[in-house]
Amino acid sequence: MDGISYSDKIPNNVNLSDDKALQRALEHWLPNYLKWWREMGPEDSQEFQVYLRTAISVDPSGWANFDYVKMPDYRWGIFLAPTAEGRSIQFGEHKGEPVWQEVPGEHRANLRRIIVTQGDTEPASVEQQRHLGLTCPSLYDLRNLFQVNVEEGRHLWAMVYLLHRYFGRDGREEAEAMLDRRSGDTDNPRILGAFNERTPDWLAFYMFTYFTDRDGKFQLSALAESGFDPLARTTKFMLTEEAHHMFVGESGVSRIIQRTCDVMKQLQTEDPIKIRSAGAIDLETLQRYLNFHYSVTIDLFGADQSSNAATFYSAGLKGRYEEAKRTDDHVLTEAAYRITDMANGQLVEREVPMLNSLNEVLRDDFIKDSIAGIGRWNKVIEKAGIPFRLTVPHKAFNRKIGTFANARVSPTGDLVSEAEWLASEKQWLPSDEDRAFVGSLMERVVEPGKFAGWIAPPAMGVNRQPLDFQYVRLN
Ligand SMILES: [Fe+2]
Ligand SMILES: [Fe+2]
């Protein structure tokens, strides 16, 4: 790395070329990162020339530069959204005080934990998605997958920058550990449950980017409120990229629905077996995938009642989604919140102190946002004149974390017995047969302008390129 030009190799707006300590830390970490990328990044795709967007600065003209790049040569940058002059802490016990430019000693452990938990999700999703390139439905989709992957790689860089720059030796150790954990590994798994699930097919990928990247949006939005200014500014810039990931998910599922509806109309049928024989994915299967990804994702927000969440808020480390738009006192010591709970074998509504329910508050914001997009999917079905509608399951359905972890709740919100659950599970969650069927459709399509039979082409290409553009050059 001798004589490296930092602004060329690692685009940044953190004065990397003047920061010797940070350079040393990154120089040590970078080879391990690239080793991880080669081992765990997109399989058999490292030599492809991919039409990628690279951020080279934070202004609108700088974060959307398109060109062919081999993924290992991607310019992973370090960007913080511009400083807001005179910014003060917006919530909690330090409300009104100036934001911190260094880590306050008493919040060091909690901040490190927050950054590591977020950072760990970034390489995890790359690992989860690493086989998908082998079964891409088109070059357009392949390119979008790789774009998501390199940006998750950059998000890891963003969190590693914070660890290296502000947390000294233990920060460097945490940065290394994020390259050691592996999604789904029994001995050294990723930190959060959903990031240890498999993403075995493209329907799972689109559901993941719709729901689980949206969890990213909400976590990053809450961190963008942080009193620790470097964290707030870093996560704020990450959100520009997260929007694209959710677009990939929403449009991907929408195109699958479109194709299914076309087949249903053509064949004049609502019979899943006939739809499947025609090579499309029946709406019932889409609903089951939705149920799975939705329930696994809402677990990511944590326990409904959480003293950690209260501490993070009161200390000014993690705010609520759109904190500034809320009209309460932003201290919340007197505020109440309505949650769903269980009592005497029933689901009940109950008022609890909001401060302890902030995970639930963020989860509910996520749910509202998710439902909006599902409405847009339903428009596609409605337009085709088909009566079926996709819905989100009840929030107590299939939960592994929090109050409902040990309850059996149907998608419509009824408590059911273990026997009823077992009898109905196949209608509610993807079965092995569903996954095998979807898997059987996954065949690689790499001719420019061609799309697999189970998904409709998109309305337009990337960066105003035509649909038959060579989005990826396979060598
Ligand atoms: Fe990310
Ligand atoms: Fe993402």
Side-chain angles (χ1 to χ4, degrees):
M1 302 263 307
D2 255 9
I4 187 169
S5 163
Y6 283 95
S7 49
D8 277 2
K9 267 274 189 192
I10 306 173
N12 71 90
N13 66 350
V14 296
N15 286 330
L16 182 55
S17 45
D18 298 335
D19 189 336
K20 292 281 175 273
L22 181 57
Q23 282 177 27
R24 271 196 301 277
L26 278 176
E27 278 171 25
H28 186 78
W29 186 78
L30 178 61
N32 295 337
Y33 171 77
L34 288 174
K35 181 168 173 281
W36 167 82
W37 181 271
R38 281 196 205 96
E39 276 171 33
M40 297 312 295
E43 194 180 340
D44 284 344
S45 320
Q46 312 268 339
E47 293 304 308
F48 294 177
Q49 299 272 353
V50 189
Y51 186 67
L52 290 175
R53 177 180 78 177
T54 305
I56 53 168
S57 81
V58 292
D59 39 83
S61 64
W63 65 272
N65 280 50
F66 286 86
D67 206 351
Y68 286 100
V69 186
K70 285 185 189 177
M71 284 181 282
D73 301 336
Y74 187 75
R75 296 164 70 206
W76 328 88
I78 303 173
F79 294 109
L80 278 64
T83 333
E85 260 343 295
R87 187 174 161 251
S88 62
I89 300 171
Q90 298 296 306
F91 59 92
E93 289 157 5
H94 301 286
K95 190 181 138 192
E97 295 172 21
V99 290
W100 311 303
Q101 297 305 332
E102 295 292 333
V103 178
E106 75 265 39
H107 302 316
R108 189 183 165 83
N110 277 336
L111 269 173
R112 192 181 61 209
R113 179 170 161 195
I114 288 170
I115 292 165
V116 167
T117 307
Q118 177 62 42
D120 189 70
T121 66
E122 315 291 356
S125 65
V126 175
E127 292 168 0
Q128 288 170 293
Q129 295 162 15
R130 69 181 302 260
H131 305 299
L132 291 171
L134 306 178
T135 57
C136 62
S138 73
L139 284 184
Y140 165 90
D141 291 281
L142 184 62
R143 179 260 164 218
N144 282 349
L145 166 72
F146 291 157
Q147 183 72 53
V148 170
N149 292 160
V150 293
E151 287 176 352
E152 301 303 7
R154 202 200 70 75
H155 288 179
L156 172 60
W157 274 71
M159 295 294 106
V160 164
Y161 159 72
L162 294 175
L163 291 169
H164 280 172
R165 168 69 180 77
Y166 295 97
F167 292 86
R169 185 182 169 160
D170 40 338
R172 292 195 295 277
E173 285 169 5
E174 294 284 12
E176 291 296 336
M178 289 201 285
L179 299 176
D180 292 337
R181 286 186 287 273
R182 291 285 181 272
S183 176
D185 192 284
T186 33
D187 298 327
N188 196 14
R190 292 294 170 186
I191 296 170
L192 300 170
F195 292 91
N196 288 303
E197 298 284 349
R198 292 180 62 237
T199 310
D201 58 63
W202 281 75
L203 175 55
F205 171 63
Y206 293 130
M207 289 289 181
F208 184 99
T209 41
Y210 185 79
F211 288 110
T212 311
D213 284 89
R214 188 175 311 271
D215 161 71
K217 166 185 166 180
F218 279 84
Q219 300 298 343
L220 293 174
S221 298
L223 296 178
E225 305 285 344
S226 182
F228 178 46
D229 202 40
L231 175 61
R233 293 169 53 207
T234 304
T235 46
K236 201 163 183 190
F237 186 70
M238 288 161 78
L239 281 164
T240 59
E241 291 158 334
E242 216 56 76
H244 170 256
H245 306 175
M246 290 181 294
F247 160 79
V248 168
E250 180 170 338
S251 58
V253 174
S254 184
R255 289 161 51 210
I256 297 176
I257 294 171
Q258 183 65 60
R259 177 64 189 146
T260 302
C261 291
D262 290 349
V263 166
M264 289 172 77
K265 280 201 302 191
Q266 238 165 47
L267 301 182
Q268 295 287 317
T269 186
E270 290 175 15
D271 180 357
I273 296 170
K274 288 187 183 152
I275 296 163
R276 285 185 174 199
S277 327
I281 305 173
D282 52 291
L283 297 173
E284 290 79 1
T285 299
L286 291 175
Q287 178 68 62
R288 287 190 285 275
Y289 268 69
L290 186 161
N291 289 351
F292 173 77
H293 286 274
Y294 176 84
S295 55
V296 165
T297 301
I298 62 175
D299 264 345
L300 287 172
F301 292 87
D304 349 10
Q305 297 290 294
S306 162
S307 56
N308 270 336
T311 304
F312 293 171
Y313 186 84
S314 293
L317 309 182
K318 181 177 177 182
R320 287 171 295 174
Y321 177 63
E322 297 191 324
E323 187 67 48
K325 288 193 184 165
R326 301 182 190 243
T327 53
D328 53 28
D329 67 0
H330 305 277
V331 183
L332 306 183
T333 39
E334 308 297 323
Y337 194 68
R338 237 182 142 65
I339 60 156
T340 308
D341 199 359
M342 290 211 308
N344 308 318
Q346 298 275 326
L347 296 180
V348 292
E349 302 265 300
R350 173 162 96 79
E351 286 232 320
V352 292
M354 188 188 267
L355 211 41
N356 277 303
S357 317
L358 288 170
N359 287 342
E360 198 60 22
V361 172
L362 198 58
R363 182 167 20 244
D364 287 341
D365 289 332
F366 167 89
I367 289 173
K368 257 181 258 154
D369 203 56
S370 297
I371 289 173
I374 293 166
R376 289 188 287 277
W377 291 341
N378 280 332
K379 282 270 180 320
V380 178
I381 308 176
E382 199 182 322
K383 235 173 142 184
I386 295 163
F388 191 99
R389 295 293 176 266
L390 294 164
T391 52
V392 291
H394 191 278
K395 73 163 136 173
F397 170 75
N398 194 38
R399 294 290 302 280
K400 303 283 187 283
I401 286 180
T403 311
F404 312 115
N406 298 310
R408 291 300 198 188
V409 181
S410 75
T412 48
D414 299 309
L415 280 162
V416 295
S417 68
E418 188 64 23
E420 286 172 286
W421 174 272
L422 290 175
S424 306
E425 197 179 357
K426 278 185 160 192
Q427 279 123 60
W428 295 341
L429 288 168
S431 64
D432 291 346
E433 291 95 315
D434 289 336
R435 292 201 185 272
F437 167 68
V438 174
S440 75
L441 296 178
M442 300 295 122
E443 271 178 276
R444 194 176 200 216
V445 178
V446 290
E447 199 184 318
K450 286 270 184 300
F451 290 82
W454 50 270
I455 188 165
M460 60 180 114
V462 177
N463 194 32
R464 290 186 292 272
Q465 299 289 359
L467 288 190
D468 62 358
F469 185 73
Q470 186 89 42
Y471 288 106
V472 182
R473 292 182 185 143
L474 320 164
N475 305 16

